[in-house]
């Protein structure tokens, strides 16, 4: 991707331009304290540590007289989950790293011969190999054996949801001299708030597995970073997001949405998540000891998502709202998103890494619908038992 390739070029101001860059200041993201959960002193860097990197900018924004330098090329290991929506993050990140000139090995949990590997994004791993990357399979506990003799500058754990799963990888990385450890956490660990959106440093659920991982890596690594994603879309995703809406819209069925439909959430294109991870690799001093919400910089309502999906498909949509308790269904099984306001803001990434998002749901969903039709999902026989129960309770007719 062009954005990823561009990120391999950074510049520092020459003496002639130092006067303008010296006035640059970075304001720490508000609510960036972690004291409400546990103490991690590296995450509370004084802004001077970020300021050391504040003169770095994208090459495209280089002022006259700037000296262009190339970012250090690194060897990166991605430990990738074999299921769930996060698998696509490792896939995009691997491709973007390779496009930026870094070395990549992606170690997927499980076995290459498993049925899971026949599904996206795993059935597209040839794209990684063809771009110069390596793909291997194995269990996190066996990472030392699977990668015997290999050395890495950076490790990203995109698999574990708790310390039991991540500790073998983290301990091996520490013992192997890995300089930077990055972890894919989750914005789902934030406690519900009366003051959305969620910002880095907001209170988290102390018993959440990801929290234990963040605490552990902060204790054993000098340079660690945690990224907290939310919902995502993108080619190769194997967890329904936009597809859930398309399934109903193309078949002329009502789209049942719990509550008012005005609940806000965050849905990012995975390319934005990957571009943030790239900056984490290429700006290690700025990213070190930090937590970043790995999300889009815009929220969308649940009704809005349905409307955007319908517009992308070029079809009308009938939205039906319901109370899950009144109709006797579990909203977690009936709907792909949380039935509440649930969105985070990428304030730290924008202010510290100088990241910018490119997610544009109306346009991105057009591309996703084209692929939806291309793979024939619009013709697939899909059962809607839970929908039918909801609609029957509401006395809403469904066209035959």
């Amino acid at each position: 991707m062009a954005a990823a390739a561009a990120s391999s070029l950074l510049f520092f101001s020459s003496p002639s331009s130092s006067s303008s860059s010296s006035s640059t200041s970075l304001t720490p993201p508000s609510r960036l304290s972690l004291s409400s959960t546990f103490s991690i002193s590296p995450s509370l860097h004084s802004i001077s540590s970020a300021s050391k990197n504040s003169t770095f900018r994208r090459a495209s924004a280089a002022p006259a007289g700037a000296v262009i330098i190339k970012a250090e090329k690194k060897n990166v290991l991605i430990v990738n989950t074999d299921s769930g929506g996060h698998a696509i993050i490792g896939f995009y990140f691997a491709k973007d790293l390779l496009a930026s000139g870094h070395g990549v090995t992606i170690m997927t949990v499980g076995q290459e011969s498993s049925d899971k590997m026949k599904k996206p994004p795993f059935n597209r791993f040839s794209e990684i190999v063809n771009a110069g990357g390596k793909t291997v399979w194995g269990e996190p506990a066996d990472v030392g054996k699977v990668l015997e003799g290999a050395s890495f500058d950076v490790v990203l754990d995109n698999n574990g949801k708790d310390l039991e799963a991540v500790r073998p990888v983290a301990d091996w990385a520490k013992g192997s001299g890995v300089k930077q450890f990055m972890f894919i956490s989750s914005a789902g660990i934030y406690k519900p708030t009366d003051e959305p959106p969620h910002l880095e440093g907001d209170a988290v659920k102390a018993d959440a597995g990801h929290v234990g991982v963040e605490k552990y890596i902060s204790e054993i690594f000098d340079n660690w970073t945690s990224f907290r994603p939310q919902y995502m879309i993108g080619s190769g995703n194997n967890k329904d997001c936009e597809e859930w809406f398309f399934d109903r819209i193309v078949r002329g069925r009502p789209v049942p949405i719990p509550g008012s439909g005005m609940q806000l959430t965050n849905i990012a294109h995975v390319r934005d998540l990957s571009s943030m991870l790239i900056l984490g690799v290429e700006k290690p001093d700025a990213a070190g000891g930090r937590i970043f919400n790995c999300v889009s910089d815009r929220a969308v309502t649940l009704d809005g998502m349905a409307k955007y999906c319908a517009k992308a498909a070029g079809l009308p949509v009938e939205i039906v709202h319901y109370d899950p308790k009144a109709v006797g269904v579990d909203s977690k099984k009936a709907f792909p998103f949380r039935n509440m306001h649930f969105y985070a803001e990428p304030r730290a990434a924008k202010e510290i890494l100088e990241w910018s998002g490119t997610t544009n749901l109306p346009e991105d969903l057009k591309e996703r619908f084209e692929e939806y039709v291309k793979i024939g999902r619009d013709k697939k026989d899909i059962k809607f038992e839970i929908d039918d129960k909801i609609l029957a309770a509401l006395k809403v007719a469904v066209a035959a």
Side-chain angles (χ1 to χ4, degrees):
M1 294 184 181
S7 67
S8 65
L9 292 178
L10 306 171
F11 80 87
F12 61 88
S13 301
S14 66
S16 62
S17 61
S18 60
S19 58
S20 60
S21 63
S22 62
S23 62
T24 301
S25 63
L26 293 177
T27 302
S30 62
R31 291 194 265 169
L32 196 57
S33 169
L34 299 179
S35 58
S36 59
T37 54
F38 50 82
S39 176
I40 301 180
S41 57
S43 67
L44 301 178
H45 284 319
S46 66
I47 205 63
S48 61
S49 64
S51 297
K52 290 188 295 184
N53 297 280
S54 64
T55 54
F56 284 82
R57 300 288 186 274
R58 295 284 189 174
S60 59
V67 179
I68 305 298
I69 62 173
K70 288 187 177 181
E72 176 187 356
K73 301 307 175 185
K74 298 177 180 179
N75 198 22
V76 182
L77 169 67
I78 303 169
V79 179
N80 210 45
T81 180
D82 64 346
S83 61
H86 283 193
I88 193 176
I89 300 176
F91 175 64
Y92 269 73
F93 184 43
K95 293 180 65 177
D96 286 354
L97 282 167
L98 291 165
S100 297
H102 300 286
V104 176
T105 296
I106 185 166
M107 174 181 150
T108 303
V109 175
Q111 299 179 344
E112 184 178 6
S113 58
S114 71
D115 288 341
K116 289 182 178 181
M117 297 304 114
K118 298 176 183 178
K119 301 177 181 180
F122 313 108
N123 60 1
R124 293 176 56 182
F125 272 17
S126 59
E127 297 175 31
I128 296 173
V129 175
N130 292 341
K134 299 177 181 178
T135 54
V136 296
W137 280 260
E139 298 301 320
D142 299 325
V143 61
K145 296 179 182 178
V146 176
L147 300 168
E148 187 175 3
S151 61
F152 300 92
D153 303 299
V154 184
V155 171
L156 170 72
D157 190 298
N158 182 40
N159 170 62
K161 297 181 180 180
D162 54 39
L163 188 54
E164 181 180 358
V166 178
R167 189 196 294 268
V169 178
D171 289 350
W172 167 82
K174 180 66 175 179
S176 300
V178 171
K179 298 177 181 178
Q180 184 180 12
F181 193 90
M182 306 199 309
F183 173 58
I184 298 296
S185 182
S186 170
I189 67 177
Y190 287 113
K191 290 182 177 180
T193 178
D194 292 326
E195 190 184 7
H198 295 299
L199 300 179
E200 298 86 350
D202 281 359
V204 298
K205 303 165 188 173
D207 59 347
H210 296 90
V211 173
V213 174
E214 291 178 350
K215 184 175 187 298
Y216 185 70
I217 63 176
S218 75
E219 293 170 346
I220 70 170
F221 288 99
D222 293 329
N223 194 309
W224 62 275
T225 309
S226 182
F227 296 87
R228 295 173 176 171
Q230 271 189 252
Y231 303 122
M232 65 201 78
I233 63 171
S235 178
N237 198 358
N238 64 10
K239 185 174 182 179
D240 282 0
C241 179
E242 65 276 24
E243 294 91 345
W244 187 92
F245 295 89
F246 291 151
D247 285 343
R248 288 149 181 81
I249 292 167
V250 300
R251 292 167 178 81
R253 294 183 60 94
V255 175
I257 294 179
S260 69
M262 294 305 294
Q263 304 95 310
L264 291 167
T265 193
N266 191 301
I267 302 170
H269 195 289
V270 69
R271 65 171 177 267
D272 278 356
L273 280 59
S274 179
S275 70
M276 192 182 297
L277 295 174
I278 290 286
L279 288 174
V281 170
E282 298 190 342
K283 295 185 176 182
D285 291 339
R290 300 260 183 198
I291 290 172
F292 297 99
N293 287 335
C294 199
V295 296
S296 167
D297 53 6
R298 297 199 64 174
V300 63
T301 65
L302 300 185
D303 274 7
M305 183 63 176
K307 293 174 183 177
Y308 281 146
C309 285
K311 188 174 182 180
L315 294 168
V317 61
E318 177 186 0
I319 298 173
V320 176
H321 298 119
Y322 66 96
D323 178 350
K325 290 184 178 180
V327 302
V329 300
D330 182 351
S331 62
K332 293 181 180 179
K333 296 180 179 179
F335 192 66
F337 305 133
R338 286 171 171 80
N339 181 24
M340 58 185 292
H341 286 307
F342 174 58
Y343 74 107
E345 181 181 293
R347 188 170 300 180
K350 294 174 76 171
E351 296 186 2
I352 296 170
L353 298 180
E354 299 181 76
W355 172 89
S356 59
T358 64
T359 296
N360 183 330
L361 282 178
E363 293 301 316
D364 291 333
L365 287 169
K366 291 178 183 178
E367 180 183 45
R368 296 299 297 126
F369 184 72
E370 290 177 2
E371 185 169 343
Y372 175 89
V373 173
K374 183 178 180 180
I375 64 175
R377 181 157 167 169
D378 59 323
K379 302 296 193 298
K380 185 178 178 180
D381 183 22
I382 297 177
K383 305 299 181 184
F384 297 95
E385 291 95 341
I386 298 180
D387 280 31
D388 290 340
K389 182 177 180 179
I390 295 170
L391 298 174
L394 298 175
K395 296 181 171 52
V396 175
V398 179

